[in-house]
Amino acid sequence: MNASCVCFSRTCILILSIIFPCVDCFRKDLFSTKTSYHWIYDLDQHVPQDEYMKTEISGQSCQAIYTSALIRHGARYPSLKDIRSMSELHGKLLRYKVDKKLNFLTNWKNPYPEAKEKGLVKLGEVEQYHLGLRIRRKLFSLFENNLGNVKFVSSSTSRTKDSLQAFYKGFNGNVDEAKNVQYGIDDEILRFHTKCKRFLESVENNKTHTKEYRKFKSESHAVNLTAAVAKRLEVDDLNITTGDLKLLYFLCPFEIIISNKEDWCHILTDEEKEIMEYHYDLKQYWKKAYGHSVIPKMACPMVKKLFSDLDNAIKNQKQEERDPSVGSFFFGHVETLAPVYAALGLFNDTVPLLAKNFEQQRNRLFRASHILPFSANIVLILYDCHSNHDAGGDNRFAMKLYVNEKVKKFPGCKEDACWYDEVRERVSSHVDHCEFDRFCGMTDHAHTAHEEL
Ligand SMILES: *[C@@H]1O[C@H](CO)[C@@H](O)[C@H](O)[C@H]1NC(C)=O
Ligand SMILES: *[C@@H]1O[C@H](CO)[C@@H](O)[C@H](O)[C@H]1NC(C)=O
Ligand SMILES: *[C@@H]1O[C@H](CO)[C@@H](O)[C@H](O)[C@H]1NC(C)=O
Ligand SMILES: *[C@@H]1O[C@H](CO)[C@@H](O)[C@H](O)[C@H]1NC(C)=O
Protein backbone atom coordinates (compact mmCIF):
# COMPACT_ATOMS: atom_id res chain seq x y z
CA MET A 1 0.00 0.00 0.00
CA ASN A 2 1.18 3.43 -0.83
CA ALA A 3 -0.02 6.31 1.32
CA SER A 4 0.23 9.94 0.41
CA CYS A 5 -1.32 13.08 1.71
CA VAL A 6 -3.03 15.71 -0.41
CA CYS A 7 -3.95 19.07 1.05
CA PHE A 8 -6.64 21.48 -0.07
CA SER A 9 -6.35 24.70 1.83
CA ARG A 10 -6.22 23.53 5.45
CA THR A 11 -7.88 20.18 5.00
CA CYS A 12 -5.69 17.21 4.32
CA ILE A 13 -6.87 13.87 3.10
CA LEU A 14 -4.96 10.67 3.18
CA ILE A 15 -4.93 8.84 -0.10
CA LEU A 16 -4.28 5.13 -0.08
CA SER A 17 -3.49 3.37 -3.27
CA ILE A 18 -2.36 -0.09 -4.15
CA ILE A 19 0.88 -0.16 -6.05
CA PHE A 20 0.49 -1.73 -9.45
CA PRO A 21 3.53 -3.18 -11.11
CA CYS A 22 4.61 -0.41 -13.38
CA VAL A 23 4.38 -1.43 -17.02
CA ASP A 24 5.56 1.53 -19.03
CA CYS A 25 7.70 3.28 -16.43
CA PHE A 26 11.14 4.53 -17.28
CA ARG A 27 13.68 6.79 -15.61
CA LYS A 28 13.87 10.41 -16.66
CA ASP A 29 17.11 11.38 -14.93
CA LEU A 30 19.30 9.83 -17.61
CA PHE A 31 19.19 12.24 -20.50
CA SER A 32 22.51 13.99 -20.07
CA THR A 33 22.35 17.70 -20.95
CA LYS A 34 18.78 17.21 -22.28
CA THR A 35 17.44 16.36 -18.82
CA SER A 36 14.82 18.78 -17.51
CA TYR A 37 15.66 20.33 -14.14
CA HIS A 38 12.30 19.10 -12.93
CA TRP A 39 13.42 15.48 -13.37
CA ILE A 40 16.31 15.82 -10.94
CA TYR A 41 14.88 18.37 -8.50
CA ASP A 42 11.97 17.30 -6.31
CA LEU A 43 9.38 20.05 -6.79
CA ASP A 44 7.23 18.70 -3.96
CA GLN A 45 9.74 19.47 -1.25
CA HIS A 46 8.93 22.26 1.14
CA VAL A 47 11.04 25.40 0.70
CA PRO A 48 11.39 27.22 4.02
CA GLN A 49 11.55 30.99 3.80
CA ASP A 50 15.10 32.25 4.47
CA GLU A 51 16.46 28.70 4.27
CA TYR A 52 19.84 30.03 3.07
CA MET A 53 19.97 33.18 5.24
CA LYS A 54 21.96 31.76 8.12
CA THR A 55 24.77 29.30 8.45
CA GLU A 56 27.16 28.10 11.11
CA ILE A 57 30.86 27.61 10.98
CA SER A 58 33.09 26.60 13.90
CA GLY A 59 30.08 27.09 16.16
CA GLN A 60 29.59 30.71 15.05
CA SER A 61 26.39 31.92 13.50
CA CYS A 62 26.62 33.87 10.24
CA GLN A 63 24.25 35.94 8.12
CA ALA A 64 24.04 35.96 4.30
CA ILE A 65 25.11 39.27 2.77
CA TYR A 66 25.57 38.51 -0.92
CA THR A 67 24.93 35.83 -3.51
CA SER A 68 26.33 35.32 -6.98
CA ALA A 69 24.95 32.62 -9.21
CA LEU A 70 25.61 31.07 -12.59
CA ILE A 71 22.58 29.49 -14.24
CA ARG A 72 22.25 27.45 -17.41
CA HIS A 73 19.31 28.40 -19.64
CA GLY A 74 16.13 26.34 -19.33
CA ALA A 75 14.86 23.52 -21.53
CA ARG A 76 15.01 24.39 -25.21
CA TYR A 77 14.11 23.16 -28.69
CA PRO A 78 16.54 20.83 -30.48
CA SER A 79 19.20 22.34 -32.73
CA LEU A 80 18.52 22.78 -36.44
CA LYS A 81 20.83 19.86 -37.23
CA ASP A 82 18.99 17.61 -34.79
CA ILE A 83 15.55 18.70 -36.04
CA ARG A 84 16.53 17.73 -39.58
CA SER A 85 18.18 14.46 -38.55
CA MET A 86 15.05 13.52 -36.62
CA SER A 87 12.98 13.79 -39.80
CA GLU A 88 15.57 11.74 -41.68
CA LEU A 89 15.59 9.00 -39.06
CA HIS A 90 11.82 8.94 -39.07
CA GLY A 91 11.79 8.50 -42.85
CA LYS A 92 14.43 5.78 -42.64
CA LEU A 93 12.49 3.81 -40.02
CA LEU A 94 9.23 4.11 -41.94
CA ARG A 95 10.80 2.42 -44.95
CA TYR A 96 11.54 -0.66 -42.87
CA LYS A 97 9.34 -3.17 -41.19
CA VAL A 98 9.17 -1.98 -37.62
CA ASP A 99 7.93 -3.43 -34.39
CA LYS A 100 4.27 -2.86 -33.41
CA LYS A 101 5.46 -0.74 -30.53
CA LEU A 102 6.41 1.79 -33.18
CA ASN A 103 2.98 2.12 -34.77
CA PHE A 104 3.04 5.77 -33.75
CA LEU A 105 5.66 6.35 -36.43
CA THR A 106 3.03 6.17 -39.17
CA ASN A 107 1.34 9.29 -37.89
CA TRP A 108 4.32 11.02 -36.37
CA LYS A 109 5.18 14.41 -37.79
CA ASN A 110 8.24 16.30 -36.70
CA PRO A 111 6.74 18.83 -34.26
CA TYR A 112 9.84 21.04 -33.98
CA PRO A 113 9.73 24.14 -36.20
CA GLU A 114 13.15 24.91 -37.68
CA ALA A 115 12.65 28.58 -36.92
CA LYS A 116 12.58 27.80 -33.20
CA GLU A 117 15.81 25.83 -33.09
CA LYS A 118 17.43 26.06 -29.66
CA GLY A 119 14.76 28.54 -28.52
CA LEU A 120 13.56 28.31 -24.93
CA VAL A 121 10.42 26.14 -24.60
CA LYS A 122 7.52 26.57 -22.20
CA LEU A 123 8.89 24.06 -19.67
CA GLY A 124 12.22 25.90 -19.80
CA GLU A 125 10.41 29.10 -18.82
CA VAL A 126 8.64 27.26 -16.02
CA GLU A 127 11.93 25.82 -14.72
CA GLN A 128 13.44 29.30 -14.61
CA TYR A 129 10.36 30.96 -13.15
CA HIS A 130 10.25 28.49 -10.26
CA LEU A 131 13.99 28.70 -9.71
CA GLY A 132 13.66 32.48 -9.44
CA LEU A 133 10.79 32.09 -7.03
CA ARG A 134 12.69 29.63 -4.82
CA ILE A 135 15.95 31.57 -4.73
CA ARG A 136 14.04 34.68 -3.74
CA ARG A 137 12.32 32.71 -0.99
CA LYS A 138 15.45 30.99 0.29
CA LEU A 139 17.17 34.38 0.66
CA PHE A 140 14.04 36.37 1.37
CA SER A 141 15.49 38.78 3.93
CA LEU A 142 18.53 39.48 1.77
CA PHE A 143 16.44 40.66 -1.17
CA GLU A 144 13.65 42.30 0.77
CA ASN A 145 13.76 46.05 0.01
CA ASN A 146 16.76 45.31 -2.19
CA LEU A 147 15.28 44.08 -5.45
CA GLY A 148 16.78 47.02 -7.29
CA ASN A 149 20.22 46.09 -6.02
CA VAL A 150 20.57 42.85 -7.91
CA LYS A 151 22.48 42.58 -11.19
CA PHE A 152 21.45 40.37 -14.10
CA VAL A 153 23.74 39.39 -16.96
CA SER A 154 23.06 37.11 -19.91
CA SER A 155 25.03 35.72 -22.83
CA SER A 156 23.89 37.05 -26.19
CA THR A 157 21.66 34.10 -27.20
CA SER A 158 17.88 34.30 -27.12
CA ARG A 159 17.51 31.22 -24.88
CA THR A 160 19.67 32.75 -22.14
CA LYS A 161 17.97 36.15 -22.40
CA ASP A 162 14.55 34.50 -22.29
CA SER A 163 15.66 32.42 -19.30
CA LEU A 164 16.77 35.57 -17.50
CA GLN A 165 13.37 37.17 -18.09
CA ALA A 166 11.49 34.08 -16.89
CA PHE A 167 13.72 33.77 -13.83
CA TYR A 168 13.14 37.43 -13.02
CA LYS A 169 9.37 37.02 -13.21
CA GLY A 170 9.53 34.43 -10.44
CA PHE A 171 12.22 36.29 -8.53
CA ASN A 172 10.41 39.57 -8.65
CA GLY A 173 6.95 38.11 -8.10
CA ASN A 174 5.55 40.90 -10.24
CA VAL A 175 4.77 39.91 -13.78
CA ASP A 176 4.34 43.44 -15.16
CA GLU A 177 7.61 44.81 -13.96
CA ALA A 178 9.43 41.78 -15.28
CA LYS A 179 9.19 43.21 -18.76
CA ASN A 180 11.46 46.01 -17.68
CA VAL A 181 14.26 44.07 -16.06
CA GLN A 182 17.54 45.81 -16.79
CA TYR A 183 20.33 43.46 -17.68
CA GLY A 184 23.72 43.30 -19.30
CA ILE A 185 24.99 41.08 -22.10
CA ASP A 186 28.48 39.72 -21.66
CA ASP A 187 29.89 37.00 -23.89
CA GLU A 188 33.43 37.60 -22.61
CA ILE A 189 32.48 35.95 -19.34
CA LEU A 190 29.61 33.70 -20.48
CA ARG A 191 30.87 32.36 -23.82
CA PHE A 192 34.62 32.50 -23.24
CA HIS A 193 35.09 29.19 -25.08
CA THR A 194 34.28 30.82 -28.42
CA LYS A 195 37.11 33.30 -27.91
CA CYS A 196 39.91 31.03 -26.75
CA LYS A 197 42.05 30.02 -29.72
CA ARG A 198 44.15 27.66 -27.66
CA PHE A 199 41.02 25.75 -26.62
CA LEU A 200 39.66 25.65 -30.16
CA GLU A 201 42.94 24.24 -31.48
CA SER A 202 43.77 21.76 -28.79
CA VAL A 203 40.30 20.56 -27.81
CA GLU A 204 37.33 21.73 -29.84
CA ASN A 205 38.69 21.13 -33.33
CA ASN A 206 41.08 18.35 -32.37
CA LYS A 207 39.65 14.93 -33.18
CA THR A 208 42.42 13.11 -31.32
CA HIS A 209 41.25 14.77 -28.17
CA THR A 210 37.88 12.99 -28.12
CA LYS A 211 39.33 9.55 -28.67
CA GLU A 212 37.67 8.09 -25.54
CA TYR A 213 34.28 9.25 -26.76
CA ARG A 214 34.87 7.71 -30.18
CA LYS A 215 36.47 4.56 -28.80
CA PHE A 216 33.36 3.85 -26.75
CA LYS A 217 31.42 3.19 -29.97
CA SER A 218 33.43 0.00 -30.46
CA GLU A 219 33.27 -1.13 -26.82
CA SER A 220 31.03 -4.16 -26.32
CA HIS A 221 28.40 -2.18 -24.38
CA ALA A 222 27.80 0.10 -27.35
CA VAL A 223 28.13 -2.63 -29.97
CA ASN A 224 25.66 -4.89 -28.16
CA LEU A 225 23.31 -1.98 -27.74
CA THR A 226 23.26 -1.29 -31.48
CA ALA A 227 22.57 -4.95 -32.22
CA ALA A 228 19.84 -5.16 -29.57
CA VAL A 229 18.08 -2.07 -30.88
CA ALA A 230 18.23 -3.26 -34.50
CA LYS A 231 16.73 -6.57 -33.40
CA ARG A 232 14.02 -4.86 -31.39
CA LEU A 233 13.06 -2.65 -34.32
CA GLU A 234 13.21 -5.68 -36.63
CA VAL A 235 15.46 -3.80 -38.96
CA ASP A 236 18.46 -6.16 -38.95
CA ASP A 237 19.33 -5.23 -42.48
CA LEU A 238 19.27 -1.53 -41.70
CA ASN A 239 22.52 -0.31 -40.25
CA ILE A 240 21.68 1.56 -37.08
CA THR A 241 24.38 4.19 -36.83
CA THR A 242 25.60 5.92 -33.71
CA GLY A 243 23.90 9.01 -35.09
CA ASP A 244 20.61 7.12 -35.13
CA LEU A 245 21.17 5.94 -31.55
CA LYS A 246 21.83 9.48 -30.44
CA LEU A 247 18.46 10.54 -31.87
CA LEU A 248 16.60 7.55 -30.43
CA TYR A 249 18.05 8.60 -27.07
CA PHE A 250 17.39 12.36 -27.29
CA LEU A 251 14.01 12.28 -29.08
CA CYS A 252 12.54 11.03 -25.81
CA PRO A 253 13.37 13.98 -23.53
CA PHE A 254 12.50 16.51 -26.25
CA GLU A 255 9.17 14.81 -26.77
CA ILE A 256 8.30 14.85 -23.07
CA ILE A 257 9.54 18.41 -22.61
CA ILE A 258 7.87 19.91 -25.66
CA SER A 259 4.86 17.71 -26.48
CA ASN A 260 4.24 16.00 -23.14
CA LYS A 261 4.21 12.63 -24.92
CA GLU A 262 6.51 9.67 -24.56
CA ASP A 263 6.16 7.55 -27.69
CA TRP A 264 9.89 7.61 -28.41
CA CYS A 265 10.77 6.78 -24.83
CA HIS A 266 10.15 3.04 -24.95
CA ILE A 267 12.62 2.15 -27.66
CA LEU A 268 15.67 2.08 -25.38
CA THR A 269 15.60 0.40 -21.97
CA ASP A 270 16.83 2.25 -18.88
CA GLU A 271 20.05 0.24 -18.96
CA GLU A 272 20.57 1.19 -22.61
CA LYS A 273 19.89 4.84 -21.78
CA GLU A 274 22.58 4.58 -19.10
CA ILE A 275 25.01 3.41 -21.73
CA MET A 276 24.10 6.36 -23.96
CA GLU A 277 24.38 8.64 -20.96
CA TYR A 278 27.92 7.46 -20.35
CA HIS A 279 28.77 7.92 -24.01
CA TYR A 280 27.75 11.58 -23.80
CA ASP A 281 29.41 12.04 -20.41
CA LEU A 282 32.67 10.99 -22.08
CA LYS A 283 32.14 13.83 -24.53
CA GLN A 284 31.29 16.47 -21.91
CA TYR A 285 34.08 15.35 -19.60
CA TRP A 286 36.83 15.49 -22.23
CA LYS A 287 35.64 18.51 -24.18
CA LYS A 288 34.16 20.72 -21.49
CA ALA A 289 35.64 19.89 -18.10
CA TYR A 290 38.53 17.71 -17.02
CA GLY A 291 39.87 16.58 -20.38
CA HIS A 292 42.46 19.30 -20.80
CA SER A 293 44.15 21.85 -18.56
CA VAL A 294 43.16 24.64 -20.95
CA ILE A 295 39.48 24.18 -20.02
CA PRO A 296 39.50 25.29 -16.36
CA LYS A 297 42.00 28.01 -17.24
CA MET A 298 39.87 29.57 -19.95
CA ALA A 299 36.97 29.82 -17.46
CA CYS A 300 38.86 32.47 -15.49
CA PRO A 301 36.84 35.49 -16.70
CA MET A 302 33.69 33.89 -15.26
CA VAL A 303 35.29 32.62 -12.04
CA LYS A 304 36.90 36.01 -11.57
CA LYS A 305 33.58 37.77 -11.97
CA LEU A 306 31.78 35.51 -9.47
CA PHE A 307 34.45 36.01 -6.83
CA SER A 308 35.19 39.66 -7.43
CA ASP A 309 31.51 40.35 -6.80
CA LEU A 310 31.95 38.63 -3.43
CA ASP A 311 35.17 40.56 -2.78
CA ASN A 312 33.29 43.80 -3.44
CA ALA A 313 30.52 42.79 -1.10
CA ILE A 314 33.12 42.32 1.63
CA LYS A 315 34.60 45.76 0.99
CA ASN A 316 31.14 47.17 1.19
CA GLN A 317 30.40 45.37 4.42
CA LYS A 318 33.61 46.73 5.93
CA GLN A 319 32.47 50.14 4.69
CA GLU A 320 35.52 50.50 2.50
CA GLU A 321 33.22 51.00 -0.45
CA ARG A 322 29.62 51.95 -0.97
CA ASP A 323 27.89 49.58 -3.31
CA PRO A 324 24.43 48.49 -2.24
CA SER A 325 24.41 45.34 -4.45
CA VAL A 326 23.25 42.16 -2.78
CA GLY A 327 23.45 39.75 -5.67
CA SER A 328 24.37 38.97 -9.25
CA PHE A 329 22.86 36.36 -11.56
CA PHE A 330 24.53 35.16 -14.74
CA PHE A 331 22.78 33.17 -17.48
CA GLY A 332 24.95 30.92 -19.61
CA HIS A 333 25.45 27.49 -21.11
CA VAL A 334 26.85 24.02 -20.45
CA GLU A 335 30.03 25.47 -21.95
CA THR A 336 30.06 28.05 -19.16
CA LEU A 337 29.15 25.82 -16.20
CA ALA A 338 31.25 22.74 -16.96
CA PRO A 339 34.58 24.64 -17.20
CA VAL A 340 33.65 26.51 -13.99
CA TYR A 341 33.08 23.15 -12.24
CA ALA A 342 36.55 22.12 -13.41
CA ALA A 343 38.08 25.40 -12.22
CA LEU A 344 36.54 24.90 -8.78
CA GLY A 345 37.54 21.21 -8.76
CA LEU A 346 33.95 19.96 -8.44
CA PHE A 347 32.77 16.52 -9.59
CA ASN A 348 36.35 15.53 -10.30
CA ASP A 349 36.45 11.73 -10.25
CA THR A 350 39.70 10.21 -9.00
CA VAL A 351 39.75 7.89 -12.00
CA PRO A 352 39.15 9.61 -15.36
CA LEU A 353 36.17 8.62 -17.50
CA LEU A 354 37.42 6.20 -20.15
CA ALA A 355 35.83 4.18 -22.95
CA LYS A 356 36.72 0.98 -21.12
CA ASN A 357 35.56 1.81 -17.58
CA PHE A 358 31.77 2.18 -17.89
CA GLU A 359 31.11 -0.42 -15.17
CA GLN A 360 33.66 1.06 -12.79
CA GLN A 361 32.20 4.54 -13.33
CA ARG A 362 28.56 3.69 -12.63
CA ASN A 363 28.68 5.89 -9.53
CA ARG A 364 30.78 8.63 -11.05
CA LEU A 365 30.60 12.20 -9.78
CA PHE A 366 30.73 13.66 -13.27
CA ARG A 367 27.23 12.80 -14.48
CA ALA A 368 25.81 15.43 -16.84
CA SER A 369 22.20 14.37 -16.16
CA HIS A 370 22.66 15.46 -12.55
CA ILE A 371 25.12 18.32 -12.81
CA LEU A 372 24.37 19.84 -16.24
CA PRO A 373 20.62 19.47 -16.87
CA PHE A 374 18.63 22.36 -18.33
CA SER A 375 18.53 25.20 -15.74
CA ALA A 376 21.53 23.75 -13.84
CA ASN A 377 22.80 26.30 -11.34
CA ILE A 378 25.78 27.14 -9.16
CA VAL A 379 24.96 29.47 -6.28
CA LEU A 380 27.64 31.04 -4.07
CA ILE A 381 26.52 32.64 -0.85
CA LEU A 382 28.70 34.95 1.19
CA TYR A 383 28.13 35.15 4.96
CA ASP A 384 29.22 37.65 7.56
CA CYS A 385 30.24 35.92 10.81
CA HIS A 386 31.18 39.05 12.73
CA SER A 387 30.68 37.41 16.12
CA ASN A 388 33.67 35.20 15.33
CA HIS A 389 35.71 38.22 14.39
CA ASP A 390 34.50 40.21 17.39
CA ALA A 391 35.62 37.35 19.63
CA GLY A 392 39.15 37.70 18.26
CA GLY A 393 38.96 35.08 15.49
CA ASP A 394 40.97 35.67 12.31
CA ASN A 395 38.06 35.04 10.04
CA ARG A 396 34.98 37.09 9.52
CA PHE A 397 33.48 35.97 6.21
CA ALA A 398 32.37 32.52 5.19
CA MET A 399 30.81 31.06 2.08
CA LYS A 400 28.68 28.19 0.97
CA LEU A 401 28.23 26.62 -2.40
CA TYR A 402 25.02 25.13 -3.76
CA VAL A 403 24.82 23.14 -6.97
CA ASN A 404 21.29 22.59 -8.23
CA GLU A 405 20.07 23.77 -4.83
CA LYS A 406 21.97 21.09 -2.93
CA VAL A 407 24.78 22.15 -0.67
CA LYS A 408 28.14 21.09 -2.06
CA LYS A 409 31.20 21.04 0.11
CA PHE A 410 33.96 23.10 -1.42
CA PRO A 411 36.96 20.85 -2.21
CA GLY A 412 39.37 20.98 0.72
CA CYS A 413 36.85 22.40 3.21
CA LYS A 414 35.92 20.57 6.38
CA GLU A 415 32.34 21.80 6.73
CA ASP A 416 29.58 22.72 4.30
CA ALA A 417 30.37 26.34 5.09
CA CYS A 418 33.99 27.36 4.60
CA TRP A 419 35.97 30.45 5.56
CA TYR A 420 35.97 32.77 2.60
CA ASP A 421 39.71 33.42 2.74
CA GLU A 422 40.42 29.70 2.38
CA VAL A 423 38.21 29.36 -0.67
CA ARG A 424 39.52 32.60 -2.12
CA GLU A 425 43.09 31.34 -1.75
CA ARG A 426 42.20 28.17 -3.65
CA VAL A 427 40.74 30.04 -6.61
CA SER A 428 43.38 32.75 -6.56
CA SER A 429 45.08 31.62 -9.78
CA HIS A 430 41.78 32.06 -11.63
CA VAL A 431 40.78 35.32 -9.97
CA ASP A 432 44.04 37.20 -9.46
CA HIS A 433 46.00 35.90 -12.42
CA CYS A 434 43.46 35.67 -15.18
CA GLU A 435 45.39 36.47 -18.33
CA PHE A 436 42.86 35.25 -20.81
CA ASP A 437 44.14 36.97 -23.94
CA ARG A 438 47.75 36.02 -23.37
CA PHE A 439 46.88 32.45 -22.46
CA CYS A 440 44.25 31.82 -25.11
CA GLY A 441 45.65 33.78 -28.01
CA MET A 442 43.41 35.70 -30.33
CA THR A 443 40.85 33.83 -32.37
CA ASP A 444 40.96 34.21 -36.10
CA HIS A 445 38.51 33.28 -38.81
CA ALA A 446 40.16 29.95 -39.49
CA HIS A 447 38.86 28.73 -36.14
CA THR A 448 35.21 28.44 -35.48
CA ALA A 449 33.71 27.32 -32.25
CA HIS A 450 30.86 24.88 -32.19
CA GLU A 451 27.56 26.22 -30.96
CA GLU A 452 26.66 25.92 -27.31
CA LEU A 453 24.30 23.43 -25.81
C1 LIG B 1 45.18 17.07 -29.91
O1 LIG B 1 44.86 16.23 -28.81
C2 LIG B 1 45.87 15.29 -28.49
C3 LIG B 1 45.33 14.42 -27.36
O2 LIG B 1 44.81 15.18 -26.32
C4 LIG B 1 47.16 16.02 -28.11
O3 LIG B 1 48.18 15.08 -27.83
C5 LIG B 1 47.58 16.93 -29.24
O4 LIG B 1 48.69 17.69 -28.86
C6 LIG B 1 46.43 17.87 -29.62
N1 LIG B 1 46.77 18.67 -30.78
C7 LIG B 1 46.89 20.00 -30.74
C8 LIG B 1 47.11 20.69 -32.04
O5 LIG B 1 46.79 20.63 -29.70
C1 LIG C 1 28.06 -8.32 -25.55
O1 LIG C 1 27.62 -9.49 -26.21
C2 LIG C 1 28.54 -10.59 -26.13
C3 LIG C 1 28.03 -11.69 -27.03
O2 LIG C 1 26.70 -12.00 -26.75
C4 LIG C 1 28.70 -10.99 -24.68
O3 LIG C 1 29.62 -12.05 -24.56
C5 LIG C 1 29.19 -9.79 -23.86
O4 LIG C 1 29.23 -10.12 -22.50
C6 LIG C 1 28.27 -8.61 -24.06
N1 LIG C 1 28.87 -7.43 -23.42
C7 LIG C 1 28.22 -6.67 -22.55
C8 LIG C 1 29.00 -5.57 -21.96
O5 LIG C 1 27.07 -6.86 -22.25
C1 LIG D 1 24.86 -2.73 -43.51
O1 LIG D 1 26.24 -3.00 -43.33
C2 LIG D 1 26.66 -4.22 -43.90
C3 LIG D 1 28.11 -4.46 -43.48
O2 LIG D 1 28.81 -3.26 -43.35
C4 LIG D 1 26.46 -4.18 -45.42
O3 LIG D 1 26.86 -5.41 -45.99
C5 LIG D 1 24.99 -3.92 -45.70
O4 LIG D 1 24.78 -3.76 -47.10
C6 LIG D 1 24.51 -2.66 -44.99
N1 LIG D 1 23.07 -2.53 -45.14
C7 LIG D 1 22.47 -1.40 -45.53
C8 LIG D 1 20.98 -1.47 -45.65
O5 LIG D 1 23.08 -0.37 -45.78
C1 LIG E 1 41.15 16.31 -10.49
O1 LIG E 1 41.50 15.12 -9.80
C2 LIG E 1 42.76 14.61 -10.20
C3 LIG E 1 42.92 13.23 -9.56
O2 LIG E 1 42.54 13.24 -8.21
C4 LIG E 1 43.84 15.60 -9.80
O3 LIG E 1 45.10 15.11 -10.18
C5 LIG E 1 43.57 16.92 -10.51
O4 LIG E 1 44.48 17.90 -10.10
C6 LIG E 1 42.16 17.41 -10.23
N1 LIG E 1 41.90 18.53 -11.10
C7 LIG E 1 41.42 19.69 -10.66
C8 LIG E 1 41.27 20.76 -11.69
O5 LIG E 1 41.10 19.89 -9.51
Side-chain angles (χ1 to χ4, degrees):
M1 295 277 256
N2 178 20
S4 60
C5 193
V6 177
C7 300
F8 302 98
S9 185
R10 291 208 180 124
T11 324
C12 290
I13 52 170
L14 190 67
I15 297 185
L16 294 173
S17 59
I18 295 158
I19 297 180
F20 289 97
C22 186
V23 184
D24 272 342
C25 291
F26 58 92
R27 284 174 57 193
K28 291 202 273 185
D29 62 341
L30 300 173
F31 295 109
S32 183
T33 54
K34 310 297 180 292
T35 305
S36 165
Y37 193 67
H38 290 182
W39 305 340
I40 59 129
Y41 179 87
D42 176 12
L43 285 170
D44 291 335
Q45 64 191 285
H46 173 62
V47 178
Q49 180 163 313
D50 279 341
E51 186 184 359
Y52 294 170
M53 273 313 288
K54 281 190 164 59
T55 195
E56 286 207 350
I57 182 166
S58 310
Q60 302 292 327
S61 157
C62 320
Q63 186 82 12
I65 57 166
Y66 197 93
T67 185
S68 55
L70 171 61
I71 300 168
R72 185 192 178 198
H73 60 78
R76 61 152 171 81
Y77 278 97
S79 67
L80 185 59
K81 186 164 161 270
D82 283 348
I83 294 175
R84 289 182 177 163
S85 313
M86 285 167 183
S87 294
E88 277 166 30
L89 174 68
H90 178 235
K92 186 165 149 183
L93 289 175
L94 275 185
R95 287 195 295 277
Y96 283 81
K97 177 170 164 261
V98 288
D99 187 85
K100 273 198 218 64
K101 215 191 273 170
L102 296 185
N103 277 346
F104 77 92
L105 283 175
T106 321
N107 297 317
W108 191 81
K109 280 202 180 56
N110 191 325
Y112 313 120
E114 291 191 356
K116 292 197 171 175
E117 68 125 4
K118 288 192 174 175
L120 194 67
V121 300
K122 190 72 204 160
L123 181 63
E125 263 178 50
V126 175
E127 288 169 354
Q128 293 284 326
Y129 176 86
H130 284 279
L131 183 63
L133 209 66
R134 286 193 301 275
I135 293 198
R136 168 76 186 279
R137 186 169 164 80
K138 290 175 178 185
L139 288 165
F140 189 82
S141 302
L142 178 66
F143 298 123
E144 203 185 10
N145 307 320
N146 261 324
L147 282 183
N149 296 323
V150 180
K151 288 179 285 184
F152 291 91
V153 182
S154 170
S155 80
S156 60
T157 67
S158 67
R159 62 192 172 283
T160 40
K161 291 190 268 186
D162 292 344
S163 293
L164 184 156
Q165 306 261 4
F167 178 94
Y168 187 74
K169 273 188 198 173
F171 183 76
N172 183 32
N174 181 331
V175 179
D176 287 341
E177 272 184 44
K179 290 199 188 91
N180 301 321
V181 57
Q182 301 284 316
Y183 64 93
I185 303 276
D186 194 339
D187 282 350
E188 306 285 319
I189 60 170
L190 289 159
R191 293 173 75 203
F192 45 77
H193 67 291
T194 64
K195 304 183 192 296
C196 186
K197 184 175 168 187
R198 187 189 285 226
F199 166 76
L200 298 176
E201 278 178 4
S202 50
V203 178
E204 182 62 37
N205 299 321
N206 176 2
K207 280 221 147 177
T208 328
H209 189 69
T210 45
K211 62 178 189 297
E212 294 298 327
Y213 166 72
R214 284 179 294 117
K215 230 161 67 185
F216 190 70
K217 297 174 190 172
S218 44
E219 287 290 322
S220 77
H221 284 101
V223 172
N224 290 5
L225 191 160
T226 311
V229 171
K231 187 149 185 275
R232 194 168 313 144
L233 299 179
E234 296 182 43
V235 289
D236 295 352
D237 55 342
L238 164 72
N239 295 322
I240 297 274
T241 65
T242 33
D244 298 335
L245 278 181
K246 171 190 167 184
L247 294 169
L248 291 172
Y249 172 53
F250 286 132
L251 266 156
C252 168
F254 281 123
E255 195 191 21
I256 311 175
I257 286 171
I258 300 167
S259 318
N260 197 22
K261 287 200 266 180
E262 49 187 55
D263 290 327
W264 287 95
C265 297
H266 303 285
I267 297 174
L268 303 182
T269 63
D270 284 351
E271 169 68 11
E272 289 166 345
K273 285 171 189 148
E274 278 196 56
I275 294 169
M276 293 304 292
E277 184 193 29
Y278 190 65
H279 192 202
Y280 281 89
D281 279 357
L282 284 171
K283 193 177 191 177
Q284 308 299 338
Y285 180 89
W286 288 92
K287 286 188 86 165
K288 295 169 191 174
Y290 286 104
H292 200 292
S293 61
V294 68
I295 304 171
K297 280 192 183 153
M298 74 169 170
C300 75
M302 186 72 244
V303 178
K304 182 177 177 171
K305 184 73 187 128
L306 291 169
F307 282 90
S308 54
D309 282 357
L310 301 183
D311 287 349
N312 286 340
I314 289 179
K315 285 193 192 127
N316 186 53
Q317 194 76 358
K318 289 179 172 168
Q319 298 185 319
E320 287 165 8
E321 215 168 69
R322 282 209 54 77
D323 175 359
S325 301
V326 292
S328 37
F329 293 93
F330 301 90
F331 293 80
H333 306 264
V334 163
E335 290 74 12
T336 332
L337 273 83
V340 168
Y341 285 148
L344 302 181
L346 301 174
F347 311 112
N348 182 13
D349 293 279
T350 10
V351 176
L353 274 60
L354 301 172
K356 63 171 195 286
N357 65 9
F358 169 72
E359 290 297 345
Q360 189 190 348
Q361 292 288 17
R362 275 197 193 260
N363 295 314
R364 63 193 174 278
L365 302 172
F366 193 90
R367 182 169 229 129
S369 307
H370 294 184
I371 65 174
L372 294 165
F374 290 125
S375 297
N377 53 85
I378 306 172
V379 175
L380 305 177
I381 303 178
L382 182 69
Y383 293 90
D384 189 347
C385 316
H386 54 77
S387 61
N388 185 63
H389 195 248
D390 295 347
D394 287 338
N395 290 296
R396 171 164 169 194
F397 297 96
M399 67 161 282
K400 233 164 154 176
L401 166 73
Y402 288 86
V403 172
N404 297 335
E405 299 170 85
K406 284 192 195 79
V407 70
K408 182 89 197 136
K409 206 179 280 182
F410 208 87
C413 290
K414 289 187 280 302
E415 301 173 65
D416 284 347
C418 198
W419 291 117
Y420 184 67
D421 289 349
E422 282 176 33
V423 176
R424 188 62 181 72
E425 177 65 32
R426 257 170 249 252
V427 295
S428 160
S429 64
H430 300 285
V431 183
D432 304 311
H433 310 283
C434 176
E435 296 179 59
F436 187 85
D437 290 344
R438 201 175 61 84
F439 174 72
C440 284
M442 289 298 166
T443 49
D444 57 48
H445 295 296
H447 300 90
T448 44
H450 84 304
E451 291 173 78
E452 301 83 350
L453 292 177

